[in-house]
Amino acid sequence: MTASASTPAPAASAPAGANAMYAPLPSRQPTAAEMSALGRAMFFDPGLSASGKMACASCHSPDHAYGPPNGLSVQLGGPAGHDSGLRAVPSLRYLQTAGSFSEHHHDNDGNDSEDAGPTGGRTWDGRADSAHAQAAAPLLSPFEMANASEADVAARLRRAPYADRFRAAFGPAALDDDRQAFRLAGLALEVFQEEPKEFAPYDSKYDAVLRGQTRLSVQEARGLATFEDPNKGNCASCHISRITEDGAFPLFTDFGHIALGVPRNAALPANADPAFFDLGLCGPLRTDLKDHADYCGRFRTPSLRNVAMRQVFFHNGVFHTLEDALRFYALRDTRPARVYPRDAQGRVQKFDDLPETFRGNVNTEAPFGPRPGNRPVLSDGDIRDLVAFLHTLDDGWKPPAAAAR
């Protein structure tokens, strides 16, 4: 039996992958420079937020290595700009090789058979597998830019002063469909965040040392030695400090996920509820690993590049000086009363930001480990030396002669 002339022909199906993030566009493929310029415009545009006051750059300040611009533990956002987030803002620099999150990671460090466990992702809990996924999260987060949907973002893009440039780059129909507009916006933000000069300049003093252009001071060299000593700082076990086997300069992170047991930050509004816990890989912002009890309390290891520029440390922003953040490593197990609060009976509440059932996940490698009352592995002098060394990881270093001009 043949179809009658009035029977509509079956609709042509879209080719596989037509709506994928990197799918070619039917109209026009913009250049990387065009996409980066659009991404930059969006990154600095507060008009993409519900409040009209919050841009990506509000939290990720270029003057602070694309990290937080102030000492707030968490930044304020939401529909009116008054809502507190759950976590401290991480830097967006040096994430190009973070890779997608994996529960089983193998480094090319000469021991490729070793399973490093949960690794990767671009957020504290690794749930963003790419720069465009990371960019989408604050656009839609209720306590950040607070758009209710992709359609809200698309509507703001249509009203943006760069809307015509958007259409010129991606094609005249680029903003007609909400989902496509959101996808293309994420692509442009991703290309911008891959700009080496902005997001991976490798121009710290330590980079100059690795290039043989300068030398560390005596104190900075002591700090590096403590940093790399497996029996003292042991920092380099997670914050890799040497040029890699394949010749790449160090990122000062292995992108792994680790539980450190930092103290609860009573200043966070969410923590006013004693039943609330931020468990990192186990939630609340990530939900696919909520049943992995051995992952609870783990957060991604951040790069220590530009760490001395920060005013808030760890996922909950509980410490506000680099010295205090380092002192936590020295005192957590040896002087816990100086780190954690006491209950009504005067007992120290160690690991107070983790339910007791998950406290076995907390890392105990050096410099952790000595029992209460024992001498800390890191002395006050060691901490001063470490701070001096960590300052050499700040981007924008210039030789003294050049800096004086």
Side-chain angles (χ1 to χ4, degrees), residues 137-157:
L139 284 167
L140 301 176
S141 168
F143 46 78
E144 294 182 70
M145 299 176 81
N147 289 286
S149 65
E150 294 179 359
D152 276 2
V153 177
R156 297 183 193 283
L157 288 169

mmCIF file of all heavy atoms in Angstrom, residues 137-157:
data_model
loop_
_atom_site.group_PDB
_atom_site.id
_atom_site.type_symbol
_atom_site.label_atom_id
_atom_site.label_comp_id
_atom_site.label_asym_id
_atom_site.label_seq_id
_atom_site.Cartn_x
_atom_site.Cartn_y
_atom_site.Cartn_z
ATOM 1 N N ALA A 137 26.809 26.601 35.833
ATOM 2 C CA ALA A 137 26.362 26.423 37.220
ATOM 3 C C ALA A 137 26.006 27.738 37.902
ATOM 4 O O ALA A 137 24.901 27.873 38.447
ATOM 5 C CB ALA A 137 27.416 25.649 38.011
ATOM 6 N N PRO A 138 26.883 28.756 37.919
ATOM 7 C CA PRO A 138 26.499 30.004 38.587
ATOM 8 C C PRO A 138 25.371 30.748 37.882
ATOM 9 O O PRO A 138 24.604 31.458 38.537
ATOM 10 C CB PRO A 138 27.794 30.825 38.591
ATOM 11 C CG PRO A 138 28.650 30.206 37.557
ATOM 12 C CD PRO A 138 28.298 28.772 37.504
ATOM 13 N N LEU A 139 25.254 30.595 36.567
ATOM 14 C CA LEU A 139 24.149 31.250 35.859
ATOM 15 C C LEU A 139 22.802 30.779 36.378
ATOM 16 O O LEU A 139 21.842 31.552 36.449
ATOM 17 C CB LEU A 139 24.251 30.985 34.354
ATOM 18 C CG LEU A 139 25.314 31.772 33.590
ATOM 19 C CD1 LEU A 139 25.511 31.182 32.201
ATOM 20 C CD2 LEU A 139 24.930 33.251 33.495
ATOM 21 N N LEU A 140 22.726 29.505 36.767
ATOM 22 C CA LEU A 140 21.453 28.901 37.174
ATOM 23 C C LEU A 140 21.349 28.677 38.680
ATOM 24 O O LEU A 140 20.280 28.285 39.164
ATOM 25 C CB LEU A 140 21.253 27.563 36.443
ATOM 26 C CG LEU A 140 21.232 27.647 34.906
ATOM 27 C CD1 LEU A 140 21.123 26.256 34.302
ATOM 28 C CD2 LEU A 140 20.071 28.518 34.431
ATOM 29 N N SER A 141 22.417 28.923 39.421
ATOM 30 C CA SER A 141 22.382 28.688 40.860
ATOM 31 C C SER A 141 21.469 29.703 41.546
ATOM 32 O O SER A 141 21.582 30.905 41.305
ATOM 33 C CB SER A 141 23.788 28.803 41.442
ATOM 34 O OG SER A 141 23.740 28.862 42.862
ATOM 35 N N PRO A 142 20.579 29.267 42.449
ATOM 36 C CA PRO A 142 19.663 30.200 43.119
ATOM 37 C C PRO A 142 20.365 31.186 44.037
ATOM 38 O O PRO A 142 19.811 32.244 44.343
ATOM 39 C CB PRO A 142 18.728 29.270 43.903
ATOM 40 C CG PRO A 142 19.492 28.004 44.075
ATOM 41 C CD PRO A 142 20.316 27.857 42.837
ATOM 42 N N PHE A 143 21.577 30.871 44.507
ATOM 43 C CA PHE A 143 22.279 31.804 45.380
ATOM 44 C C PHE A 143 23.473 32.454 44.678
ATOM 45 O O PHE A 143 24.321 33.057 45.322
ATOM 46 C CB PHE A 143 22.720 31.138 46.692
ATOM 47 C CG PHE A 143 23.361 29.787 46.535
ATOM 48 C CD1 PHE A 143 24.674 29.664 46.128
ATOM 49 C CD2 PHE A 143 22.644 28.639 46.807
ATOM 50 C CE1 PHE A 143 25.264 28.424 45.986
ATOM 51 C CE2 PHE A 143 23.224 27.386 46.676
ATOM 52 C CZ PHE A 143 24.537 27.284 46.259
ATOM 53 N N GLU A 144 23.508 32.341 43.350
ATOM 54 C CA GLU A 144 24.520 33.070 42.593
ATOM 55 C C GLU A 144 23.811 33.999 41.604
ATOM 56 O O GLU A 144 23.156 34.944 42.022
ATOM 57 C CB GLU A 144 25.488 32.089 41.926
ATOM 58 C CG GLU A 144 26.310 31.312 42.954
ATOM 59 C CD GLU A 144 27.303 30.364 42.347
ATOM 60 O OE1 GLU A 144 28.299 30.837 41.764
ATOM 61 O OE2 GLU A 144 27.099 29.129 42.430
ATOM 62 N N MET A 145 23.868 33.722 40.306
ATOM 63 C CA MET A 145 23.255 34.629 39.350
ATOM 64 C C MET A 145 21.753 34.428 39.224
ATOM 65 O O MET A 145 21.047 35.283 38.690
ATOM 66 C CB MET A 145 23.970 34.515 38.015
ATOM 67 C CG MET A 145 25.455 34.913 38.141
ATOM 68 S SD MET A 145 26.442 34.710 36.642
ATOM 69 C CE MET A 145 26.001 36.197 35.768
ATOM 70 N N ALA A 146 21.272 33.307 39.731
ATOM 71 C CA ALA A 146 19.848 33.109 40.053
ATOM 72 C C ALA A 146 18.887 33.182 38.870
ATOM 73 O O ALA A 146 17.732 33.568 39.025
ATOM 74 C CB ALA A 146 19.415 34.102 41.138
ATOM 75 N N ASN A 147 19.322 32.780 37.688
ATOM 76 C CA ASN A 147 18.369 32.610 36.594
ATOM 77 C C ASN A 147 17.566 31.343 36.846
ATOM 78 O O ASN A 147 18.108 30.310 37.241
ATOM 79 C CB ASN A 147 19.108 32.508 35.262
ATOM 80 C CG ASN A 147 19.701 33.825 34.833
ATOM 81 O OD1 ASN A 147 18.985 34.726 34.408
ATOM 82 N ND2 ASN A 147 21.024 33.955 34.941
ATOM 83 N N ALA A 148 16.268 31.412 36.604
ATOM 84 C CA ALA A 148 15.408 30.267 36.888
ATOM 85 C C ALA A 148 15.558 29.160 35.856
ATOM 86 O O ALA A 148 15.225 28.006 36.125
ATOM 87 C CB ALA A 148 13.953 30.727 36.948
ATOM 88 N N SER A 149 16.041 29.494 34.655
ATOM 89 C CA SER A 149 16.098 28.503 33.582
ATOM 90 C C SER A 149 17.049 28.976 32.488
ATOM 91 O O SER A 149 17.488 30.141 32.466
ATOM 92 C CB SER A 149 14.704 28.301 32.978
ATOM 93 O OG SER A 149 14.269 29.508 32.350
ATOM 94 N N GLU A 150 17.332 28.065 31.556
ATOM 95 C CA GLU A 150 18.107 28.427 30.382
ATOM 96 C C GLU A 150 17.380 29.502 29.577
ATOM 97 O O GLU A 150 18.014 30.382 28.975
ATOM 98 C CB GLU A 150 18.360 27.197 29.514
ATOM 99 C CG GLU A 150 19.242 26.157 30.171
ATOM 100 C CD GLU A 150 19.470 24.937 29.301
ATOM 101 O OE1 GLU A 150 18.907 24.897 28.181
ATOM 102 O OE2 GLU A 150 20.220 24.026 29.715
ATOM 103 N N ALA A 151 16.049 29.441 29.577
ATOM 104 C CA ALA A 151 15.259 30.443 28.847
ATOM 105 C C ALA A 151 15.485 31.837 29.418
ATOM 106 O O ALA A 151 15.536 32.821 28.667
ATOM 107 C CB ALA A 151 13.777 30.078 28.891
ATOM 108 N N ASP A 152 15.626 31.935 30.741
ATOM 109 C CA ASP A 152 15.909 33.232 31.358
ATOM 110 C C ASP A 152 17.243 33.788 30.871
ATOM 111 O O ASP A 152 17.369 34.983 30.559
ATOM 112 C CB ASP A 152 15.954 33.095 32.884
ATOM 113 C CG ASP A 152 14.576 33.166 33.515
ATOM 114 O OD1 ASP A 152 13.587 33.278 32.767
ATOM 115 O OD2 ASP A 152 14.496 33.103 34.752
ATOM 116 N N VAL A 153 18.244 32.922 30.806
ATOM 117 C CA VAL A 153 19.553 33.356 30.337
ATOM 118 C C VAL A 153 19.466 33.800 28.878
ATOM 119 O O VAL A 153 20.012 34.842 28.492
ATOM 120 C CB VAL A 153 20.593 32.236 30.503
ATOM 121 C CG1 VAL A 153 21.948 32.671 29.951
ATOM 122 C CG2 VAL A 153 20.732 31.827 31.966
ATOM 123 N N ALA A 154 18.764 33.017 28.071
ATOM 124 C CA ALA A 154 18.621 33.362 26.654
ATOM 125 C C ALA A 154 17.933 34.715 26.487
ATOM 126 O O ALA A 154 18.332 35.525 25.635
ATOM 127 C CB ALA A 154 17.841 32.266 25.933
ATOM 128 N N ALA A 155 16.916 34.976 27.285
ATOM 129 C CA ALA A 155 16.217 36.262 27.199
ATOM 130 C C ALA A 155 17.164 37.409 27.553
ATOM 131 O O ALA A 155 17.111 38.479 26.919
ATOM 132 C CB ALA A 155 15.011 36.260 28.128
ATOM 133 N N ARG A 156 18.015 37.204 28.535
ATOM 134 C CA ARG A 156 18.976 38.247 28.904
ATOM 135 C C ARG A 156 20.013 38.438 27.801
ATOM 136 O O ARG A 156 20.466 39.567 27.543
ATOM 137 C CB ARG A 156 19.644 37.908 30.237
ATOM 138 C CG ARG A 156 18.665 37.841 31.397
ATOM 139 C CD ARG A 156 19.356 37.562 32.732
ATOM 140 N NE ARG A 156 18.381 37.202 33.735
ATOM 141 C CZ ARG A 156 17.585 38.058 34.373
ATOM 142 N NH1 ARG A 156 17.693 39.360 34.107
ATOM 143 N NH2 ARG A 156 16.716 37.647 35.263
ATOM 144 N N LEU A 157 20.400 37.361 27.142
ATOM 145 C CA LEU A 157 21.338 37.476 26.030
ATOM 146 C C LEU A 157 20.733 38.291 24.880
ATOM 147 O O LEU A 157 21.426 39.083 24.241
ATOM 148 C CB LEU A 157 21.738 36.089 25.526
ATOM 149 C CG LEU A 157 22.674 35.276 26.440
ATOM 150 C CD1 LEU A 157 22.762 33.842 25.956
ATOM 151 C CD2 LEU A 157 24.060 35.905 26.487
#
